């Protein structure tokens, strides 16, 4: 990496083995070499050879075949930096969505939602909006966990007992946090346009509306770690591999976003 030249596409070979390429298929080799390349990139950052990383999509099945011990890039990178404050965040020109929980089965989400976790994610989001995106006094909309944000306890108690007290304490500390909002109405009524970022409780609650509104131009950003890391907002699209149909827009946005954030 230290030999990289400006105004060139620099390709670094991370292994000496011959790899069998099977286009559009999840393979052990695919997962293995993706892991090696990711690890090499992180080590190059730790050695001050690069300023940031843009990760292309990985196939989680291929990574599992190769015994990759993490759900995705975000968790791997957080482990490398021993960071308990890392946070998955989706970013576009019009919308920023951060997650309290990442790649967790729905059956586990409720038990993972605690005051301590929401507080940590809210603080990380507020700090990254200021430091990485240059928003002086960010306004954050927090979504409720349950339908209708619990409807005053009629549909679960988590929003009244856990989410709302965190927001109240954050306000007392000077943060512009609001909610908890029912997720469907919040996006359906375009309330998201009135805030600088949204904190969602779980993966699909935040990413489904984000991708409906920003697919193709969105960027996955890992907040709360020393490393500037971005990624496109889509998967591997094996179904169109080799057909010349791929849209590079999100990857392009991820590259430019990493440059902007690194320079911030």
């Amino acid at each position: 990496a230290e030999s990289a030249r400006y105004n060139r596409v620099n390709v670094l070979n991370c292994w000496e083995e011959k790899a069998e390429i099977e286009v559009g298929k999840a393979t052990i080799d695919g997962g293995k070499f993706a892991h090696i390349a990711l690890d090499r990139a992180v080590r190059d950052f730790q050695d001050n050879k690069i300023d940031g990383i843009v990760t292309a999509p990985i196939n989680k099945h291929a990574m599992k075949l190769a015994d990759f011990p993490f759900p995705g890039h975000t968790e791997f990178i957080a482990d490398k930096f021993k960071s308990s404050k890392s946070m998955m965040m989706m970013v576009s020109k019009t919308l920023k969505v951060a997650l309290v929980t990442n790649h967790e089965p729905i059956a586990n989400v409720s038990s993972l939602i605690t005051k301590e976790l929401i507080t940590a994610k809210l603080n990380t989001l507020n700090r990254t909006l200021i430091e990485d995106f240059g928003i002086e006094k960010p306004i954050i909309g927090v979504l409720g966990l349950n339908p209708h944000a619990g409807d005053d306890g009629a549909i679960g108690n988590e929003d009244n007992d856990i989410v709302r007290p965190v927001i109240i304490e954050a306000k007392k500390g000077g943060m512009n946090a609001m909610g908890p909002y029912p997720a469907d109405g919040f996006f359906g009524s375009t309330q998201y346009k009135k805030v600088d970022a949204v904190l969602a409780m779980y993966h699909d609650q935040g990413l489904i509306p984000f991708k409906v509104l920003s697919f193709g131009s969105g960027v996955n950003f890992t907040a709360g770690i020393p490393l500037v890391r971005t990624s496109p907002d889509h998967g591997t699209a094996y179904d169109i591999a080799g057909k010349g149909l791929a849209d590079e827009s999100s990857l392009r946005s991820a590259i430019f976003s990493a440059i902007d954030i690194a320079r911030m």
Side-chain angles (χ1 to χ4, degrees), residues 64 66 102 234-235 240:
K64 189 174 182 180
N102 296 341
H234 54 71
I240 62 169

Side-chain angles (χ1 to χ4, degrees), residues 1 3-13 251-252 255-256:
S3 301
R5 297 175 62 191
Y6 288 102
N7 299 318
R8 297 287 189 276
V9 176
N10 296 275
V11 179
L12 177 64
N13 192 12
L251 178 59
R252 189 189 302 273
I255 293 169
F256 290 146

Side-chain angles (χ1 to χ4, degrees), residues 83-131:
S83 173
S84 61
K85 298 180 180 179
S86 70
M87 183 178 66
M88 183 175 174
M89 186 173 175
M90 304 300 293
V91 179
S92 72
K93 290 183 179 180
T94 58
L95 182 60
K96 295 178 179 65
V97 176
L99 304 180
V100 174
T101 62
N102 296 341
H103 302 108
E104 298 290 347
I106 289 294
N108 297 347
V109 170
S110 180
S111 62
L112 294 171
I113 298 296
T114 63
K115 290 180 182 178
E116 292 76 17
L117 181 60
I118 299 173
T119 298
K121 298 297 184 179
L122 194 54
N123 287 335
T124 296
L125 178 56
N126 189 65
R127 185 168 57 254
T128 200
L129 290 171
I130 296 169
E131 295 177 358

Side-chain angles (χ1 to χ4, degrees), residues 7 49 62 71 77 86 90 94 110 141-143 164 191 193 217 226 236 260:
N7 299 318
K49 295 177 180 179
I77 294 170
S86 70
M90 304 300 293
T94 58
S110 180
V142 181
L143 303 183
R164 193 180 305 278
Q191 281 180 287
K193 294 183 179 180
S217 63
T236 49
D260 290 342

Side-chain angles (χ1 to χ4, degrees), residues 36 38-49 80:
I36 291 171
L38 178 61
D39 183 68
R40 178 65 175 273
V42 171
R43 285 190 286 114
D44 280 348
F45 175 82
Q46 292 172 324
D47 292 338
N48 297 314
K49 295 177 180 179
K80 282 292 182 182

Side-chain angles (χ1 to χ4, degrees), residues 70-231:
F70 300 93
H73 284 120
T74 305
E75 293 81 5
F76 172 86
I77 294 170
D79 181 75
K80 282 292 182 182
F81 288 96
K82 306 302 179 188
S83 173
S84 61
K85 298 180 180 179
S86 70
M87 183 178 66
M88 183 175 174
M89 186 173 175
M90 304 300 293
V91 179
S92 72
K93 290 183 179 180
T94 58
L95 182 60
K96 295 178 179 65
V97 176
L99 304 180
V100 174
T101 62
N102 296 341
H103 302 108
E104 298 290 347
I106 289 294
N108 297 347
V109 170
S110 180
S111 62
L112 294 171
I113 298 296
T114 63
K115 290 180 182 178
E116 292 76 17
L117 181 60
I118 299 173
T119 298
K121 298 297 184 179
L122 194 54
N123 287 335
T124 296
L125 178 56
N126 189 65
R127 185 168 57 254
T128 200
L129 290 171
I130 296 169
E131 295 177 358
D132 297 320
F133 295 94
I135 302 172
E136 188 175 347
K137 294 182 179 179
I139 302 171
I140 300 171
V142 181
L143 303 183
L145 173 65
N146 297 298
H148 305 280
D151 214 356
D152 288 326
I155 314 175
N157 297 313
E158 292 90 348
D159 295 294
N160 277 345
D161 295 347
I162 299 173
V163 183
R164 193 180 305 278
V166 172
I167 297 170
I168 292 171
E169 287 302 311
K171 285 182 177 179
K172 289 179 181 178
M175 192 184 301
N176 292 321
M178 300 184 293
Y181 295 105
D184 56 348
F186 183 80
F187 288 104
S189 65
T190 69
Q191 281 180 287
Y192 67 90
K193 294 183 179 180
K194 299 177 182 178
V195 300
D196 295 303
V198 180
L199 184 64
M201 294 296 119
Y202 57 94
H203 186 281
D204 283 13
Q205 184 189 56
L207 266 61
I208 288 174
F210 179 87
K211 292 190 177 184
V212 168
L213 295 165
S214 303
F215 193 76
S217 63
V219 173
N220 182 351
F221 171 62
T222 303
I225 58 173
L227 169 67
V228 174
R229 177 259 169 167
T230 64
S231 180

